[in-house]
Amino acid sequence: MEKVLTDFVKALRNSNVRVSPAETIDAVSVIDSVGYEDKELLKRTLSIVLSKTPDEKDKFNACFDDFFSDEIKQQVSVDMDQLSDIKDIDSDLAKKLLEGSQGELMLSIADAAEEAEIREIRYFTQRSVFTRRILEKMGVGKLEDELMQLGSSREDELPSDLEQELRNQLTNLRERVSDYVQQQFLLHGDVSGEQLREQIFKSMNMAQIDRSYLNEVHSLVRKMAKKLANLHSRRKKNFKKGKLDIRKTIRDNWVNQGILFNLSWAYKKVDRPKIYVICDVSGSVGAYARFMLMFLFSLTEVVSKLRGFVFSANLGEVTNDFKDAKLDEAIEKALQKHGGGSTDYGQALTDFVSLCLDEIDNKTTVVILGDARNNFGPEKAHLMKTIKERSKQVFWLNPEGKYRWDTGDSVMTKYSAYCTKVFQCGNIDQLERVVSTLLKTAI
Amino acid sequence: MTDGPKKIIKDITKGFAKHGYICSEQIATAVYLASELEKPILIEGPPGVGKTELANTAALYFKKEMIRLQCYEGLDESKALYEWRYGKQLLYTQILKEQMQEVLEGAKGLKESLDRLMKFEDIFFSEDFLETRPLLEALTSEKGSVLLIDEVDKSDEEFEALLLEILSEFQISIPELGVRKADVKPLVVLTSNNSREIGDALKRRCLHLYIPFPDAKLERQIVQARVPEISESMQIQLVNFVQGIRELDLKKLPAISETIDWAKTVILLNSEELDAKLAEDTLNVLLKHQQDIEVVKKEIPALVSSATETSDGKSLN
């Protein structure tokens, strides 16, 4: 019976419910006490042990229903002797259907499935193909031919008992095989298609991802941003004032005969990155703007001390618009307000400097998202120099490929002279690398 | 175990109902598993669906002492696990200094003094100076206990790591004294409002129960159990109204506790029938944000009419 459970766990993992070996062991001991008899009870119990978020619970329920759907149907045994025309049938499958036990039948399905290479099943569209292949391997073709002959050779209207029985069994078998394939798909296939989709999205150029996938990509970006923010925001510094940590103080000073000499303080300060993000949403980066804004939005969600700005020519702050807003609304609003115009980096930098140069200190990271295509206007690179000098670091993320930098009206080199680091950032894989560097060094 | 799990789960449902807690089968199963497997249970769900109450009721049901630890940012081991009695320890060192004279009296040479000092019993770090805090208390409790670690999501991640040893092994390592193991494992209930994601390590060690908003039938039972004075028609109308509100897009949806408060308010006002005016006047019991109240106010007539309609239909049946 444990095989069933491990198979089920495998199916769960396939549909993106994370189950650890320890939880599997828990599940085994749970089943020891509740047993397999009551399906509802089993479902409730396993749901408590195996799925650990509301989202996972939904997936669990769907997966459970799928996996344990085939109830073993009771076979009505037919008295063989009563069937007069039994000698007309001689295909193996027919004999198996009529005489064989359920177990043997399941075994032959499994054998046929093995032959049909069921392990290769990946996508749900392949289910019918595999079902047909398995049935063929089991010799359904021959049986159908024989049934045809039986049907044509009979004289009266009604089909004979044997024919009726065989037809019933055949329908039964089809169902059985299709259930089996479904189960195998749960085990081997990419059930939600999520892994595949993630893989594709990650390496695809951001400009080419269709807008309808915005939400999927967003969840991907957010997952990444959250993971990285968690990873990097836990560094702590000891305070030099505040509440006394008596326990530590006494322990440290025990060597001084209990005279409190060296003091320790209780509060620890969490260092969080302070980040300013400036995002180009002008016409030239039109295709990328949406995704850059999405990135900005996701960052606002996970980093508390972040201010976001967008510009085509004039710079505007979007920090408050992005907080407590929904992703698509926030992005639409930002694009509507600031997007689509012709680019003027000089003006944008002037605005930025006058707006918040005073707040930039040696703990601040400034991130600029843009293609540095300045419409041949004044680039005012000296402002970049000022920003660079005041801040801890300046990063420039350019969605264009490196070979296009400095072509046409791009003035990347002029600006990159004053950047701590310049990244090419055209797809999510690259973005992930950038964010990791950013959070590691922004602290 | 002679009783089957089904019977025990039924008993739990009944026993909880006796204490005024109406639980779904899912909840009862979770309680059964927690006591059977002796594993902690992590409860998540929107605020006000009775997560904390579940622990309270479990304590009453299992007739065990209830020990509660409220989590907050900055909670650390000295408030959750144990603390040394510093004042007494300092006094002890003072006494020790005086006593030292007697102990060492007549000792010849450094070696002998040292030997005597070694033989001298040192109780600086010992049970006598140990102040137990909720977690240690729950482990040392002789009759067993129900330990409620409330709103674990409010605590820091460091504290979460601290819980791991207690939750998986039911033991606490005190560096100076060694490992304290629980004789009787407590039933541990953790609650979370999901204000931050709980770490995987912690989740893996717990059973996980998600309590959603109840459906109309269950909510009616709960209101009946908690506010028995209320008339049946009124109770149906209230619950339908609240269920209707939960369909709207609000900042904070009203939970069961709000429904119960509302039912009590209605009793207090001596109202017999739910109408638009009553709903509007008492809306602030149900909703906690001005924005939400504005939104719902517009919908009141529709909500009231549908709530009373369905209740009429039910009472005819």
Side-chain angles (χ1 to χ4, degrees), chain B residues 98-160:
Chain B
E98 286 160 21
Q99 295 285 310
M100 208 44 75
Q101 221 64 44
E102 278 173 37
V103 174
L104 297 180
E105 208 159 63
K108 284 173 203 140
L110 190 62
K111 193 171 179 307
E112 201 183 332
S113 319
L114 206 62
D115 283 346
R116 281 199 198 175
L117 193 65
M118 284 302 172
K119 275 178 206 149
F120 184 73
E121 195 193 6
D122 182 17
I123 57 159
F124 188 80
F125 286 124
S126 68
E127 296 275 341
D128 301 321
F129 292 118
L130 196 67
E131 183 104 63
T132 56
R133 301 286 193 207
L135 293 182
L136 187 58
E137 207 174 302
L139 287 192
T140 48
S141 167
E142 274 166 21
K143 284 188 216 136
S145 59
V146 173
L147 172 64
L148 168 65
I149 304 175
D150 214 1
E151 306 194 16
V152 72
D153 53 329
K154 299 277 190 312
S155 68
D156 309 315
E157 276 169 48
E158 287 78 7
F159 181 71
E160 220 176 82

Side-chain angles (χ1 to χ4, degrees), chain B residues 68-311:
Chain B
R68 180 173 173 161
L69 176 69
Q70 176 71 43
C71 294
Y72 51 87
E73 213 177 309
L75 177 68
D76 60 6
E77 50 178 354
S78 65
K79 284 165 199 140
L81 279 181
Y82 63 92
E83 178 80 303
W84 296 103
R85 295 181 181 153
Y86 301 114
K88 292 229 172 90
Q89 273 180 327
L90 284 179
L91 284 176
Y92 171 69
T93 60
Q94 299 299 324
I95 302 168
L96 203 59
K97 241 186 277 177
E98 286 160 21
Q99 295 285 310
M100 208 44 75
Q101 221 64 44
E102 278 173 37
V103 174
L104 297 180
E105 208 159 63
K108 284 173 203 140
L110 190 62
K111 193 171 179 307
E112 201 183 332
S113 319
L114 206 62
D115 283 346
R116 281 199 198 175
L117 193 65
M118 284 302 172
K119 275 178 206 149
F120 184 73
E121 195 193 6
D122 182 17
I123 57 159
F124 188 80
F125 286 124
S126 68
E127 296 275 341
D128 301 321
F129 292 118
L130 196 67
E131 183 104 63
T132 56
R133 301 286 193 207
L135 293 182
L136 187 58
E137 207 174 302
L139 287 192
T140 48
S141 167
E142 274 166 21
K143 284 188 216 136
S145 59
V146 173
L147 172 64
L148 168 65
I149 304 175
D150 214 1
E151 306 194 16
V152 72
D153 53 329
K154 299 277 190 312
S155 68
D156 309 315
E157 276 169 48
E158 287 78 7
F159 181 71
E160 220 176 82
L162 195 82
L163 284 177
L164 296 180
E165 187 188 8
I166 300 164
L167 295 185
S168 57
E169 308 292 333
F170 290 100
Q171 66 178 38
I172 291 177
S173 313
I174 303 172
E176 295 86 354
L177 296 179
V179 176
R180 290 290 132 116
K181 218 171 163 65
D183 299 329
V184 185
K185 289 181 183 173
L187 178 72
V188 185
V189 179
L190 300 99
T191 74
S192 156
N193 284 329
N194 234 340
S195 70
R196 85 181 157 79
E197 195 72 29
I198 304 292
D200 281 344
L202 184 66
K203 274 194 173 168
R204 249 197 28 223
R205 282 168 174 79
C206 301
L207 303 170
H208 183 273
L209 172 68
Y210 181 77
I211 307 185
F213 288 124
D215 56 19
K217 187 172 159 241
L218 189 63
E219 188 161 24
R220 234 175 277 149
Q221 284 175 4
I222 295 169
V223 173
Q224 186 62 48
R226 283 300 165 107
V227 195
E229 314 85 283
I230 197 163
S231 71
E232 199 189 333
S233 69
M234 191 66 189
Q235 165 213 342
I236 292 173
Q237 288 170 14
L238 288 186
V239 170
N240 285 338
F241 187 84
V242 174
Q243 295 271 340
I245 286 184
R246 292 207 187 111
E247 307 276 311
L248 301 173
D249 184 22
L250 297 178
K251 228 172 170 175
K252 187 195 170 305
L253 296 173
I256 309 170
S257 57
E258 269 103 15
T259 316
I260 292 170
D261 286 347
W262 198 34
K264 282 179 185 159
T265 315
V266 171
I267 295 282
L268 213 65
L269 294 175
N270 259 334
S271 307
E272 287 298 319
E273 199 64 25
L274 181 70
D275 54 40
K277 180 156 184 333
L278 176 70
E280 199 174 329
D281 288 346
T282 53
L283 210 52
N284 51 355
V285 180
L286 217 48
L287 299 166
K288 306 292 160 78
H289 287 278
Q290 190 55 36
Q291 279 163 290
D292 289 353
I293 293 180
E294 300 293 332
V295 173
V296 174
K297 251 184 196 164
K298 284 179 219 144
E299 306 285 334
I300 281 180
L303 284 169
V304 168
S305 71
S306 77
T308 44
E309 246 172 50
T310 42
S311 83

Side-chain angles (χ1 to χ4, degrees), chain B residues 29-44:
Chain B
T29 313
V31 173
Y32 160 69
L33 287 178
S35 65
E36 175 77 20
L37 295 179
E38 299 187 317
K39 274 178 95 63
I41 173 165
L42 172 66
I43 311 178
E44 288 188 302

Side-chain angles (χ1 to χ4, degrees), chain A residues 18 20 22-23 26 29-30 33-35 38 40-41 43-49 51-54 57 226 230 234 236 243 245-248 250-251 254 257-260 266 272 326, chain B residues 5-6 9 25-26 29-30 32-33 36-37 39 44 77-79 82-84 86 89-90 93 96-97 122 124-125 156-158 176 194 197 200 203-210 249:
Chain A
R18 284 168 54 181
S20 70
E23 283 163 335
D26 284 349
S29 61
V30 163
S33 56
V34 300
D38 186 336
E40 270 308 304
L41 179 65
K43 183 175 173 183
R44 286 203 308 268
T45 338
L46 287 181
S47 150
I48 289 168
V49 179
S51 56
K52 302 282 165 97
T53 62
K57 295 225 186 266
K226 202 164 186 176
N230 272 343
R234 287 169 66 179
K236 291 188 170 187
K243 202 178 147 200
D245 185 346
I246 307 175
R247 171 202 288 246
K248 195 158 185 303
I250 292 201
R251 183 160 310 161
W254 171 229
Q257 294 194 329
I259 298 162
L260 306 182
R272 291 191 208 282
K326 285 204 183 84
Chain B
K6 270 175 145 179
I9 290 174
E25 280 186 319
Q26 184 74 47
T29 313
Y32 160 69
L33 287 178
E36 175 77 20
L37 295 179
K39 274 178 95 63
E44 288 188 302
E77 50 178 354
S78 65
K79 284 165 199 140
Y82 63 92
E83 178 80 303
W84 296 103
Y86 301 114
Q89 273 180 327
L90 284 179
T93 60
L96 203 59
K97 241 186 277 177
D122 182 17
F124 188 80
F125 286 124
D156 309 315
E157 276 169 48
E158 287 78 7
E176 295 86 354
N194 234 340
E197 195 72 29
D200 281 344
K203 274 194 173 168
R204 249 197 28 223
R205 282 168 174 79
C206 301
L207 303 170
H208 183 273
L209 172 68
Y210 181 77
D249 184 22

Side-chain angles (χ1 to χ4, degrees), chain A residues 3-213:
Chain A
K3 171 95 173 51
V4 179
L5 184 73
T6 43
D7 275 356
F8 178 56
V9 166
K10 202 173 164 208
L12 274 178
R13 287 191 186 133
N14 249 329
S15 42
N16 265 332
V17 178
R18 284 168 54 181
V19 181
S20 70
E23 283 163 335
T24 316
I25 295 171
D26 284 349
V28 172
S29 61
V30 163
I31 288 177
D32 276 349
S33 56
V34 300
Y36 278 103
E37 291 82 32
D38 186 336
K39 201 169 146 195
E40 270 308 304
L41 179 65
L42 183 66
K43 183 175 173 183
R44 286 203 308 268
T45 338
L46 287 181
S47 150
I48 289 168
V49 179
L50 294 176
S51 56
K52 302 282 165 97
T53 62
D55 184 39
E56 279 184 3
K57 295 225 186 266
D58 287 346
K59 284 178 189 155
F60 172 89
N61 285 340
C63 192
F64 185 94
D65 291 342
D66 263 353
F67 193 86
F68 291 104
S69 62
D70 69 326
E71 282 154 38
I72 293 165
K73 285 159 197 131
Q74 215 57 50
Q75 196 175 26
V76 193
S77 59
V78 188
D79 196 351
M80 293 298 158
D81 302 334
Q82 286 184 356
L83 304 171
S84 53
D85 39 7
I86 183 103
K87 52 196 176 305
D88 293 345
I89 294 289
D90 65 0
S91 73
D92 288 348
L93 181 62
K95 280 184 188 135
K96 245 182 242 161
L97 284 177
L98 290 176
E99 292 156 16
S101 71
Q102 292 285 314
E104 276 171 46
L105 195 61
M106 274 324 274
L107 213 64
S108 61
I109 291 180
D111 284 345
E114 197 68 31
E115 256 180 83
E117 294 178 328
I118 187 87
R119 274 168 215 288
E120 296 302 314
I121 190 166
R122 285 292 172 271
Y123 310 111
F124 70 94
T125 44
Q126 293 173 312
R127 280 178 307 187
S128 57
V129 179
F130 275 99
T131 312
R132 212 170 49 233
R133 234 187 257 172
I134 293 171
L135 284 171
E136 257 164 41
K137 295 254 189 239
M138 293 181 75
V140 168
K142 199 172 170 203
L143 178 63
E144 271 174 344
D145 285 348
E146 280 174 351
L147 276 175
M148 285 275 280
Q149 273 174 13
L150 268 183
S152 60
S153 67
R154 68 161 177 253
E155 286 123 32
D156 46 355
E157 295 286 302
L158 290 168
S160 68
D161 285 348
L162 174 69
E163 193 184 344
Q164 191 59 48
E165 176 60 22
L166 271 177
R167 280 195 193 285
N168 286 348
Q169 289 294 343
L170 194 58
T171 331
N172 227 328
L173 178 70
R174 277 182 213 283
E175 272 175 31
R176 192 74 63 77
V177 170
S178 130
D179 283 350
Y180 182 80
V181 170
Q182 168 68 15
Q183 228 179 53
Q184 292 298 314
F185 167 63
L186 286 175
L187 281 176
H188 301 293
D190 179 11
V191 176
S192 54
E194 211 159 305
Q195 287 156 6
L196 179 77
R197 219 163 44 213
E198 278 193 12
Q199 241 171 22
I200 292 175
F201 280 147
K202 272 190 161 178
S203 54
M204 203 161 154
N205 192 314
M206 280 192 235
Q208 285 158 4
I209 299 176
D210 193 77
R211 203 175 286 183
S212 56
Y213 290 120

Side-chain angles (χ1 to χ4, degrees), chain A residues 314-326:
Chain A
N314 289 319
L315 188 88
E317 182 163 358
V318 290
T319 318
N320 291 331
D321 292 349
F322 275 24
K323 276 197 178 125
D324 305 324
K326 285 204 183 84

Side-chain angles (χ1 to χ4, degrees), chain A residues 224-234 302-303 435 439:
Chain A
M224 173 186 85
K226 202 164 186 176
K227 195 169 79 193
L228 295 170
N230 272 343
L231 207 66
H232 298 303
S233 70
R234 287 169 66 179
V302 294
V303 182
V435 176
L439 289 166

